[in-house]
Amino acid sequence: MTDITPGALSPEEERERQQRLKYYSASQWTLIWWRFRRHRAAMIAAMVLGLMALLGIFAEFVAPYGVTTRDANYLAGAPQMPKFCDENGCSLRPFVHGVKTERDPVTLRAKQVPDPDTRVHVTFLARGEPVKVLGFIPTDRHLFGLEDPNARLHIWGTDELGRDVFSRTLYATRVSLSIGVIGVMISFAMALAIGGVAGYAGGLLDNVIQRVTEVIRVVPIIPLYMGLAAAMPKEWSTVQVYFAMTIILGLFGWPTLARRIRSQLLSIRGEDYVIAARLAGARPRRIIAQHMLPSFTSFIIVDLVISFPYMILSETALSFVGLGLRPPTVSWGVLLQQAQSVRVIEQTPWLFIPAAFVVVAVLAFTVIGDGLRDAADPYSETR
């Protein structure tokens, strides 16, 4: 075999050689990441989820108003979308029309309508309510607002109490996504521990764990949550209810993943490398953590990602029917709880905007799960 001298290859061949070396020396996680990047739909979904997470984390800065801030002069007001042109001409700066009060000739109710004769320009980094970004950075600057400090901007309209839908949706995004993340982490830790013990030990202990798992799986969820919601003390703060809701969702979300981990461990506990580790004197916890779980880590990650939409939908559904979070805490389910009547559909359809966030988040997590599944499978062709 002859050695290749540095100058014997053309630039293109040398570049191809370096790429092959980089590929063959890459770790398993690096290869998964490279394949995942080729999955365009999954990358787009990841960017969408990243944007939603950033909007939720920095809700105090992005949202022009607080969760409970009311605009008494714009109750159930329609969305005010910034524009550059109207019937009076165009402007280089975005603006919205002022608001005036008129009486509906049919219902005789006073309602707020745009005043085409007045313009209020939109500005960025506008002064507004003092807030604490991330809980410890005080500021009175917001991403956008109006030049006139006495005017209000509601790009997604307001509810019947005059609260800004856009601001409340951003705060709800943070709450719903955080409940999904924390709840999945709790259920994942329990599934890893319970499924790992059952799959490694087998025998009587496995039978006992499986019977307990089956009991938890057949418990009717809605009556259970109704009882737990009634048992929560009325004097609990919103923070206490939030953590209680998260823990409850996590405690009842582990059986499915635990059974899958158990089945995987049962199928590989007779492999040579597991027997060798046992004969070498390794403890069961080390054998499971260092030898058995890494053999199907990619499967666990895919299953973990797919669990997020179920956790988010559970919180949204429970809050929607009044069994989850309570006002003034806002989540997607709490916001959608206000849009249950036909009157809301007819008069204030913009209150359904949080439903779009639920749909987008669930679809994004599902597409990311498909992308990770394809990336973790070396025999699949990533689109």
Side-chain angles (χ1 to χ4, degrees), residues 69-320:
T69 302
R70 297 183 57 201
D71 185 358
N73 297 321
Y74 203 63
L75 304 179
Q80 299 172 297
M81 296 305 298
K83 59 185 68 176
F84 290 92
C85 296
D86 61 3
E87 59 185 12
N88 297 322
C90 296
S91 173
L92 296 177
R93 300 172 58 189
F95 64 88
V96 294
H97 289 139
V99 177
K100 63 180 180 180
T101 303
E102 292 183 352
R103 191 165 297 278
D104 193 309
V106 178
T107 63
L108 300 180
R109 296 178 56 185
K111 63 178 183 179
Q112 291 75 29
V113 296
D115 183 5
D117 296 329
T118 59
R119 289 182 177 181
V120 185
H121 288 94
V122 179
T123 182
F124 293 96
L125 297 180
R127 291 189 179 276
E129 300 179 11
V131 294
K132 288 186 177 181
V133 181
L134 300 178
F136 63 91
I137 304 177
T139 182
D140 62 349
R141 296 282 183 175
H142 297 266
L143 180 61
F144 62 90
L146 297 178
E147 282 186 341
D148 186 359
N150 298 321
R152 297 293 183 91
L153 174 63
H154 306 289
I155 61 175
W156 288 352
T158 61
D159 60 12
E160 293 183 348
L161 298 179
R163 296 172 298 188
D164 185 61
V165 175
F166 176 77
S167 301
R168 289 169 62 81
T169 301
L170 293 188
Y171 284 98
T173 298
R174 177 169 61 190
V175 173
S176 294
L177 288 182
S178 62
I179 285 181
V181 171
I182 299 175
V184 167
M185 291 298 104
I186 294 175
S187 63
F188 173 69
M190 296 186 62
L192 209 59
I194 298 175
V197 171
Y200 180 81
L204 178 62
L205 182 59
D206 180 31
N207 289 330
V208 172
I209 292 177
Q210 293 312 303
R211 301 296 81 76
V212 174
T213 303
E214 291 170 358
V215 170
I216 295 178
R217 285 172 60 91
V218 300
V219 172
I221 298 299
I222 298 300
L224 173 65
Y225 282 118
M226 291 177 63
L228 293 175
M232 290 184 185
K234 298 297 183 181
E235 61 273 10
W236 273 14
S237 64
T238 56
V239 176
Q240 291 174 313
V241 175
Y242 167 81
F243 280 106
M245 185 73 182
T246 305
I247 293 174
I248 290 172
L249 289 175
L251 290 178
F252 291 94
W254 60 267
T256 301
L257 182 58
R259 300 196 71 169
R260 292 176 181 174
I261 293 176
R262 166 191 172 268
S263 63
Q264 292 288 335
L265 292 179
L266 286 175
S267 64
I268 65 174
R269 68 174 184 171
E271 297 292 336
D272 294 341
Y273 62 90
V274 177
I275 297 176
R278 189 182 298 115
L279 293 177
R283 295 184 176 182
R285 185 175 62 179
R286 179 177 179 83
I287 295 176
I288 296 174
Q290 300 294 330
H291 299 283
M292 301 180 73
L293 289 181
S295 63
F296 59 97
T297 304
S298 57
F299 170 83
I300 296 177
I301 292 177
V302 173
D303 202 294
L304 192 64
V305 173
I306 296 177
S307 300
F308 278 98
Y310 294 104
M311 196 67 65
I312 292 175
L313 287 175
S314 298
E315 182 278 323
T316 302
L318 292 173
S319 298
F320 178 76

